Amino acid sequence: MARHLKIAAAQLGPLHRKDTRVDATRRLVALLREAHGMGAKFVVFPELAFTTFFPRWWMEDQAEVDRNYFERTLPSADTQPLFDAARKLGIGFYVGYAELTEEQGRPRRFNTAVLVGPDGTLVGKYRKVHLPGHAEHKPKAAFQHLEKKYFEVGDLGFRVWRFMDTITGMLICNDRRWPEAFRVLALQGAEIVALGFNTPTENLHYPEPPALRVHHHLIMAQAMAFQNATWLIETAKCGHEDGFRMFGHSLIVAPSGEIAVKSQTEEDEVICYNCDIDLAANLKKTMFNFAAHRRPEHYKLIVERVGAEVTPANEPAAKR
Ligand code: CDT
C-alpha cells in the first residue's frame, strides 16, 4: 500500500523588531492548529521563525543581538507552547531558529532547524551550511545581509532521518540554490526535503525585477525535487518586515517536479497536500537510479575545487 503523509507549509507574514518570541509563538501555534484542521501530520515552519530576519541590520552590541534574536535553548519558556501544542495534536514539525550554544567555553552561533516528532521528541538538527551575503558593513546598501557576520558555517553536514515512516532531510533557505546539498540528501535516500526561507524581494547587489527572483525560486524548487526524486516543502517568512519586503511563494513540489500547492499571500497562510511518498518509486528505479547511472569518477572536481577556474587553453586533440 502506498504511503501517504499530509504535509503543510505554515508560512509566516512579517515579524517586526518589536514583536516578541511570545507573539511569534502564538502565531505559529495558530498556524499549527489551522494545519491540523486541514488534516496535516507534518508541518514545515520558516527559517528563523521566532524573530524578524535580523541579519538585515548591522548591530555591534553582540550581547544585545544574543538577547534579542538567539535561542540558548529550544524550547524555552517563550517557545514551549509550540512544542506542547504539536505534541497534543500529534503533529511532527520543522522549525528554524538562531541557535546560541557554548562549546569548550566558546560561544557558537548557527542558523539552525530542528525536526520534532509527533510525540515531541527531537529527531534531528541541521545547521545551515550555505551562508549568503557578507560579514562587513555596507553602509551604502539599502539593507544588509549579514549571515556571514552573525553565524558560523554549519558543522553537522547534510543528514536524513527516519521520520514518520519516511526518510526526511533538512535544508535552510540559501541551500536551495546548491544542487550539491540536495544530491547529498538524495544519496541517503531522502524522500522528503523540508526547508524554511527568508528571501528579500530586492537584490542587494544589483537591480533585478522581483518577478525574476520568484522565477528563480520556482525553477530551482521544481528542478531539485525532480532531479533528486523527492518531495520538497519550502516555507517562507515574508511580507514587509519593518519596511523590508520578502517574497512568499511557499510551496510543496512533487518528485515529478510539479508544484502541488503554492501560497497566495505574503501573510500568515497554511498550504497543505496529501503527499504520496512512494510517488518517486518508478523514477528512482529508472531515470534517477543513481546506482545504475551516476559516474562519480567524473565528478571529482565537485569536491576538489571550490571556485570556478577557467581552463587556460585547449590542448591539442591528440593529447586529450
Ligand atoms: N535567508 C537566505 O538565505 N536568503 C538568501 C538571500 C540571499 S541574498 C544575499 C536566499 O538565498 O534566499
Side-chain angles (χ1 to χ4, degrees), residues 47 53 128 132-133 145 147 173-174 176-177 198-200 205:
E47 171 192 33
F53 188 71
K128 186 176 183 179
H145 199 110
E147 289 195 57
C173 195
N174 189 264
R176 75 196 194 282
R177 303 181 190 270
N198 286 260
T199 300
H205 305 288

Side-chain angles (χ1 to χ4, degrees), residues 1-7 41 164-166 192 231 273-279:
M1 210 176 106
R3 290 169 299 153
H4 281 81
L5 183 63
K6 242 186 192 177
I7 306 179
K41 298 282 181 226
M164 304 186 79
D165 198 26
T166 73
I192 297 174
W231 285 91
Y273 195 76
N274 192 18
C275 302
D276 173 357
I277 305 301
D278 292 314
L279 191 65

Side-chain angles (χ1 to χ4, degrees), residues 131-153:
L131 298 175
H134 48 101
E136 74 288 2
H137 191 196
K138 291 185 182 288
K140 291 200 179 128
F143 57 94
Q144 311 291 305
H145 199 110
L146 291 160
E147 289 195 57
K148 287 191 195 300
K149 167 178 164 63
Y150 293 121
F151 303 116
E152 287 183 55
V153 172

Side-chain angles (χ1 to χ4, degrees), residues 88-103:
K88 221 167 168 178
L89 297 172
I91 291 180
F93 67 95
Y94 161 116
V95 71
Y97 67 107
E99 178 189 9
L100 172 57
T101 185
E102 206 172 288
E103 280 172 27

Side-chain angles (χ1 to χ4, degrees), residues 6-26:
K6 242 186 192 177
I7 306 179
Q11 173 178 290
L12 267 177
L15 279 175
H16 305 295
R17 264 180 136 164
K18 66 170 177 35
D19 293 329
T20 64
R21 288 171 179 79
V22 172
D23 297 330
T25 303
R26 201 174 295 130

Side-chain angles (χ1 to χ4, degrees), residues 262-275:
K262 188 165 85 62
S263 68
Q264 301 296 313
T265 71
E266 291 185 349
E267 295 160 15
D268 291 9
E269 179 181 346
V270 179
I271 55 171
C272 184
Y273 195 76
N274 192 18
C275 302

